[in-house]
Amino acid sequence: MNEMLLVVMLAGRRAVIPAVVVNSVIELGEVTPVPRTAPHIAGLAALRSRPLTLIDCALSLGLDREPTDCRTCRAVVVEHEGHLYGLMVEAADDIVAALAEPGPLGADPGPGWSRVASARIETEAGALPCLDIAALIAGPEEALAA
Amino acid sequence: MDDLLAEFVAETREMLGALAGEIVAWEANPDDRARLDTIFRFVHTVKGNCGFFDFPQLEALSHAAEDALADVRAGHRRADSRLVDAVLAVIDRIGVMIGEIERGEPLSEATDDVLIAALAGELDDGAISQIGSVRHSPVTPAAEQRTIRLPVDLIDQVMSGVSEMVLARNDLARRMQSLGADTGLEAPFARLSALIAEVRDAITRTRMRRIEGLFSTFPRLVRDLSAELGKQVFVEIENGEVELDREMIELIRDPLLHIIRNAVDHGIEAPAERLAAGKREAGMLTISARQSGNTIHIGIMDDGRGIDVDKLAAKAIAAGTHTPEQIVAMSREEKIDLIYEPGLSTAETVTAISGRGVGMDVVRANIEKFGGTLEIESLPGEGTRFLICVPLTLSILPSLTVEAGGQTFAVPRSYVEEIVSTAGGNLEFAQIGERRYLTFRDRRLACISLGEALRLERNDDPTLFVILRLGWGDLYALEVDRIFDHHELVIKPLSPGIMKSGLFVGCTQLDDGTPVLVLDVAAIGYGAGLPRELHRPSAITAHAAPRAEREGLRVILFRALDGERRAIAMSVVEQVERAGAAAVRRPGPDAQIVLGEDILPLAGVPADVELPERITVLRLCEGGERIAYAASEVIDIATLDGVLKRVNGQTHVVGVTLIDGETAELVDCHALFASQAAHTPGHGTLTCRLDGDETWMRNFLGPIIEAAGYRIVDEGPADVAFVEGDIGDKDECEARKAIRLRSAPGPADGPDSIYRYDRAALMAALLRAGQELAA
């Protein structure tokens, strides 16, 4: 059985997240901003009674962009180290099957991507980078500190 | 019954139940080592537990059994049938005693001495058979309080399920509101709400216990310790109302005791040394608890000599753990942290109280083991403060919701001292550079704009201030734009990315499901530049001239609820604590206050003054009588040396004197206790027996007699007996005084006979009898 992957649109590029780690994909309602925190943490939302920390993935890439609009984006809900996170991406519609095992990235995929992409996977929709959820959550500052 | 006692009874019962099978097996085969061990463990546990409570009989018995069994275990003695019989008799007897303890009865007199002698193997066969009869005497088991043990995980799971139910109910309520009236769902919804509330209360109670139970043992501990060491230590306990997971209370008990012992032993100096240092003679130990999100902050602060870092450093070098070069490079904070090095102690000599080789390293390790932290701050000559933070899993936090910069935040209510507004028009401000100060009860409090602290908008014309009290008594005023409401909020942990800012302790949801951040008010205060000073109410007097040679009356200076400065003799003040206004009954001359499990008369409450939300209570104690005195705050400890001017028309005030240039009224302790004593004459030392129509006497007469200070006995000799007219003289000889009652009004048929509804004559007779007996 080939691994199923969720295709997301991030900073105008396609990438995949392994479907097994995805809790759900939701549209966001009211978002509570969190003052004085890292820029890529967009705020808090609630998934039933659990708090959902929203990660603006485009800012987490370290790209100099406008914050993603909460009303038009999709949030991919994942659980990481006991906390729920909503990864904000521009679109998350397709599920595709992997055609091969993940392989090395190859040439430098460009600023930001080299940190958040962990591997390259051949899929039914072509070759796509696989996102590293921990790196997305940590954001660009963490990478600088490390 | 006391919680602890109930637990002791339940635990012992549980062990007895489990032991029943073992006993039979042991009886059949006394050489069975495993059974012997089980029984030994049982008596050992019982002995250990009753040392904690005051059951000397039970302790003696279990101790004797433990000794005998220890001999058998060590091979010094064989478990012959006599010993087995004796041990089994002891176990049965423990069961009977536990029943009596549970019912609150005094422990019955029994053949305990015989049992103990039998255990020691000093009895002949005749006595042994007597034991047999003791053993098989019928024991009627009391209605047991049924208990089971549950894994904490399971309770956690139920608890979080209940939290979800509360949110689902709130959601439902909101949707029903939008449907408009008359949906026909109101009644079932109300029922559902009530049920959920009930379940939530019950499940919360299973885990939570007030920290007061633990704190209330400290004043006594400190008193004994300081007496032993020849020191004077005054204990202030604050906010014992914080509730904590009962497991957590057990876990923090030992670390707290250790720190308190250290503070009294090493921290606080001897009186002479204190006076020489310009401090007041009695040291001050403040123990406080605050709830903040999922954390309980427990502060222990003394105003002693502080940690001698140089001595610590020297010891570290001597012990070879650090090189002199390393020490030189260390900051003072790093040197203080040396206290955590195993085997280092600043005490010159090892005393019986602390310094027995259990160091701060062990204390800290024990606290960290359950996810807590320990911080130490110390200033030489000024004192030391320990801050223990322990997690409180799954807490329901009473909070205040406020708005700043257009966003809603929650503030844990345990920090909120008061809310003040400029709307009243009588707030006084001062401006030091960019910092605004608010005058609050004679103290200038720094104002911190919540909007600015969070890098939102700063409101330049703030009107609302939340006065916050941090763990150490540091106060500051938080400027907010709006104040919404009090809520009981379920706190959820935040992801590490958000926690990194250090400004929030958790997150919660309002009724409509919106997430709201819970503020870490301490971090905001200190982050905005609030100085981390050791808060000492007597800071001013510390600079004043030493008062060693003064021989005046030591008093506690406080501000009464009516705003007057008053002083009260320090010797009568047992404890100072803070209480909510809700604990006060009937403000006015007959006011009472509920403190822990006591109901005390409360003096110092004017009838026409509205009580503040929280008051300071001085617990006064003299000759076994206790009175509480209400105050708004304790100002200082002082020595009376001025002239006392009498004032007329003031009740409970002896006179007025000058302390530090300001007038203060000296409370008349004699009048206070005298008025109290008038209500309880006799102290229940005299006994009274009721002979006659039992129901009437018990129900009608009993309460009056008890209120008059008599203890009612069922039979046997008594000091006073009430006798109904038609009962003969035969009982009278058993009472020192008899009061005869008759059921018909009209002329008396005897010299000492009173109509039973002639209340005045009854009371007079009772009083006369009491006076004659006392003479």
Side-chain angles (χ1 to χ4, degrees):
Chain A
M1 180 68 201
N2 285 338
E3 193 178 7
M4 300 307 286
L5 304 163
L6 175 69
V7 181
V8 299
M9 185 70 82
L10 170 55
R13 305 282 175 219
R14 289 194 303 166
V16 294
I17 296 171
V20 286
V21 303
V22 175
N23 195 313
S24 56
V25 177
I26 57 167
E27 288 178 31
L28 293 172
E30 279 296 304
V31 170
T32 304
V34 180
R36 289 185 69 180
T37 185
H40 72 283
I41 295 179
L44 281 175
L47 187 68
R48 293 210 312 278
S49 69
R50 293 185 65 183
L52 190 64
T53 305
L54 298 175
I55 303 290
D56 188 332
C57 291
L59 296 182
S60 179
L61 270 180
L63 302 181
D64 186 20
R65 291 168 61 106
E66 284 293 301
T68 309
D69 188 343
C70 298
R71 280 161 300 184
T72 59
C73 73
R74 293 297 171 93
V76 179
V77 179
V78 295
E79 185 156 350
H80 179 66
E81 290 177 351
H83 295 277
L84 280 186
Y85 292 89
L87 306 177
M88 292 162 61
V89 293
E90 288 130 55
D93 302 316
D94 290 345
I95 298 234
V96 296
L99 298 177
E101 289 299 305
L105 270 177
D108 184 359
W113 287 97
S114 54
R115 194 173 49 77
V116 301
S118 56
R120 188 174 72 189
I121 304 186
E122 291 293 336
T123 73
E124 292 168 338
L128 290 172
C130 181
L131 296 175
D132 177 351
I133 288 167
L136 277 175
I137 289 169
E141 280 173 46
E142 196 80 347
L144 287 178
Chain B
M1 198 173 358
D2 195 311
D3 274 0
L4 280 175
L5 193 57
E7 212 159 90
F8 165 64
V9 168
E11 191 191 4
T12 312
R13 265 197 194 293
E14 196 175 297
M15 287 191 294
L16 275 173
L19 210 59
E22 305 284 331
I23 292 174
V24 179
W26 190 53
E27 196 168 22
N29 180 11
D31 295 325
D32 186 335
R33 180 66 191 225
R35 308 268 186 256
L36 176 65
D37 286 350
T38 311
I39 294 169
F40 175 78
R41 268 199 302 278
F42 168 72
V43 289
H44 176 76
T45 311
V46 171
K47 187 198 77 170
N49 283 345
C50 51
F52 200 70
F53 302 100
D54 190 23
F55 299 127
Q57 259 177 290
L58 186 49
E59 188 175 2
L61 204 55
S62 44
H63 193 158
E66 188 193 4
D67 281 352
L69 290 174
D71 282 350
V72 177
R73 272 158 55 105
H76 299 317
R77 194 167 163 189
R78 266 211 67 233
D80 55 14
S81 64
R82 279 187 190 186
L83 180 67
V84 172
D85 266 355
V87 169
L88 298 190
V90 166
I91 290 170
D92 285 351
R93 175 84 184 116
I94 290 174
V96 173
M97 285 176 164
I98 290 294
E100 285 163 350
I101 292 168
E102 189 175 22
R103 291 189 296 272
E105 295 168 5
L107 294 184
S108 56
E109 297 295 326
T111 51
D112 290 348
D113 297 342
V114 181
L115 282 177
I116 291 170
L119 283 168
E122 292 162 359
L123 285 187
D124 55 24
D125 286 337
I128 294 289
S129 63
Q130 192 190 340
I131 293 169
S133 69
V134 171
R135 201 190 140 200
H136 298 297
S137 62
V139 176
T140 44
E144 291 178 31
Q145 194 186 0
R146 283 153 46 100
T147 58
I148 52 167
R149 278 167 197 263
L150 289 175
V152 173
D153 282 355
L154 184 61
I155 297 179
D156 280 352
Q157 205 184 329
V158 177
M159 183 82 186
S160 81
V162 171
S163 308
E164 302 265 339
M165 274 160 70
V166 171
L167 287 167
R169 181 208 55 188
N170 294 345
D171 189 33
L172 189 60
R174 226 164 23 87
R175 282 162 202 259
M176 279 172 56
Q177 236 165 24
S178 64
L179 283 177
D182 249 6
T183 51
L185 297 174
E186 285 81 3
F189 179 76
R191 186 166 149 67
L192 177 71
S193 287
L195 286 173
I196 292 177
E198 229 170 78
V199 172
R200 191 171 94 163
D201 277 358
I203 197 72
T204 309
R205 267 207 315 278
T206 59
R207 297 188 48 91
M208 305 303 267
R209 187 191 278 169
R210 280 167 68 157
I211 205 168
E212 191 178 34
L214 174 60
F215 277 11
S216 60
T217 60
F218 293 157
R220 175 65 198 268
L221 173 84
V222 172
R223 200 187 128 264
D224 292 354
L225 282 180
S226 48
E228 199 172 315
L229 293 163
K231 296 180 180 179
Q232 290 179 27
V233 183
F234 194 63
V235 185
E236 188 174 77
I237 288 190
E238 232 182 79
N239 217 338
E241 281 164 36
V242 167
E243 288 200 329
L244 193 53
D245 201 291
R246 59 179 65 204
E247 234 175 304
M248 197 59 79
I249 289 192
E250 287 312 309
L251 288 171
I252 58 172
R253 182 191 301 274
D254 283 348
L256 276 179
L257 286 178
H258 191 90
I259 291 172
I260 290 172
R261 282 200 191 103
N262 262 320
V264 175
D265 195 5
H266 303 322
I268 290 173
E269 313 91 328
E273 196 182 329
R274 291 184 62 89
L275 287 170
K279 298 183 187 182
R280 55 174 191 254
E281 227 173 330
M284 182 74 128
L285 188 68
T286 309
I287 303 167
S288 63
R290 287 275 183 290
Q291 184 176 0
S292 169
N294 275 340
T295 316
I296 296 278
H297 297 257
I298 298 167
I300 300 154
M301 179 166 73
D302 67 65
D303 64 349
R305 60 169 76 93
I307 294 171
D308 188 338
V309 289
D310 296 331
K311 204 185 273 179
L312 259 184
K315 289 226 175 182
I317 295 169
T321 57
H322 290 77
T323 62
E325 293 75 33
Q326 283 174 319
I327 296 288
V328 170
M330 280 181 164
S331 69
R332 182 177 159 79
E333 284 69 34
E334 285 168 325
K335 284 183 192 162
I336 288 177
D337 284 349
L338 286 174
I339 203 166
Y340 299 126
E341 296 283 330
L344 293 189
S345 164
T346 54
E348 292 283 4
T349 51
V350 173
T351 65
I353 290 165
S354 54
R356 263 173 305 192
V358 180
M360 290 305 290
D361 53 324
V362 178
V363 173
R364 185 166 76 165
N366 282 338
I367 292 173
E368 284 176 352
K369 206 159 53 188
F370 49 83
T373 58
L374 171 64
E375 282 175 42
I376 303 179
E377 285 177 36
S378 178
L379 285 176
E382 297 274 290
T384 307
R385 60 192 194 183
F386 295 86
L387 181 62
I388 300 176
C389 298
V390 293
L392 171 82
T393 50
L394 285 165
S395 73
I396 292 178
L397 180 75
S399 321
L400 181 73
T401 43
V402 300
E403 185 184 285
Q407 253 186 272
T408 306
F409 298 96
V411 178
R413 200 154 69 198
S414 60
Y415 284 100
V416 177
E417 179 86 358
E418 206 168 315
I419 295 166
V420 295
S421 153
T422 51
N426 46 11
L427 289 186
E428 192 191 313
F429 292 97
Q431 189 87 24
I432 312 288
E434 291 301 312
R435 174 71 64 204
R436 195 198 314 265
Y437 283 84
L438 165 71
T439 305
F440 173 76
R441 296 203 189 125
D442 296 339
R443 286 177 69 178
R444 288 201 194 279
L445 305 183
C447 294
I448 292 168
S449 159
L450 180 57
E452 188 184 32
L454 297 175
R455 308 278 189 273
L456 299 168
E457 281 162 52
R458 176 175 184 169
N459 183 348
D460 284 324
D461 187 22
T463 54
L464 281 169
F465 301 87
V466 181
I467 309 288
L468 297 169
R469 175 182 285 271
L470 305 181
W472 307 116
D474 294 332
L475 290 170
Y476 76 91
L478 189 70
E479 302 171 11
V480 298
D481 298 342
R482 282 170 74 185
I483 290 172
F484 294 107
D485 207 354
H486 286 295
H487 291 280
E488 303 266 312
L489 299 173
V490 179
I491 304 296
K492 299 281 165 77
L494 285 169
S495 58
I498 299 179
M499 287 302 275
K500 221 164 37 182
S501 74
L503 296 169
F504 311 105
V505 292
C507 150
T508 179
Q509 277 175 289
L510 295 183
D511 289 353
D512 62 357
T514 339
V516 167
L517 290 158
V518 184
L519 300 173
D520 184 339
V521 293
I524 288 172
Y526 295 130
L530 202 67
R532 277 176 169 274
E533 274 169 20
L534 288 175
H535 164 67
R536 300 204 290 138
S538 61
I540 322 117
T541 54
H543 301 297
R547 301 173 169 191
E549 58 277 35
R550 289 192 195 164
E551 281 292 311
L553 176 66
R554 306 281 291 160
V555 293
I556 290 181
L557 199 58
F558 63 96
R559 190 161 303 283
L561 288 185
D562 54 12
E564 287 291 336
R565 260 161 64 102
R566 292 220 173 105
I568 189 162
M570 190 163 158
S571 56
V572 299
V573 179
E574 185 185 43
Q575 196 179 333
V576 179
E577 55 196 297
R578 304 207 17 103
V584 179
R585 274 191 70 235
R586 291 171 56 193
D590 295 327
Q592 289 170 320
I593 188 165
V594 181
L595 290 176
E597 289 182 351
D598 294 337
I599 300 176
L600 298 180
L602 180 67
V605 187
D608 46 353
V609 166
E610 189 158 325
L611 291 176
E613 197 175 315
R614 303 196 58 74
I615 57 172
T616 298
V617 179
L618 309 173
R619 221 193 249 245
L620 315 179
C621 175
E622 212 288 310
E625 282 297 324
R626 282 193 163 73
I627 299 179
Y629 202 102
S632 61
E633 61 174 337
V634 168
I635 304 171
D636 199 1
I637 295 178
T639 305
L640 274 197
D641 47 5
V643 182
L644 198 63
K645 288 253 190 273
R646 257 206 73 80
V647 282
N648 289 324
Q650 276 271 36
T651 47
H652 296 177
V653 170
V654 189
V656 174
T657 183
L658 283 179
I659 296 176
D660 295 333
E662 277 187 69
T663 58
E665 297 177 344
L666 182 63
V667 174
D668 187 344
C669 293
H670 186 268
L672 266 185
F673 280 92
S675 68
Q676 182 50 29
H679 294 301
T680 54
H683 304 301
T685 48
L686 294 176
T687 54
C688 178
R689 194 180 67 236
L690 307 175
D691 295 333
D693 174 359
E694 188 136 331
T695 331
W696 184 85
M697 284 196 150
R698 276 250 162 234
N699 297 344
F700 283 59
L701 215 47
I704 311 176
I705 298 170
E706 280 177 334
Y710 288 84
R711 188 162 55 82
I712 294 183
V713 293
D714 288 332
E715 52 194 16
D719 294 313
V720 177
F722 275 88
V723 186
E724 271 200 309
D726 46 356
I727 290 186
D729 292 339
K730 63 176 170 51
D731 286 332
E732 268 182 54
C733 55
E734 288 190 54
R736 292 162 67 194
K737 282 277 169 205
I739 298 173
R740 289 175 157 280
L741 300 180
R742 60 196 147 84
S743 49
D749 52 7
D752 214 3
S753 153
I754 301 167
Y755 171 46
R756 66 180 192 170
Y757 280 120
D758 186 348
R759 189 182 171 87
L762 259 179
M763 296 310 287
L766 202 54
L767 189 66
R768 199 166 54 238
Q771 283 165 347
E772 284 171 17
L773 285 172

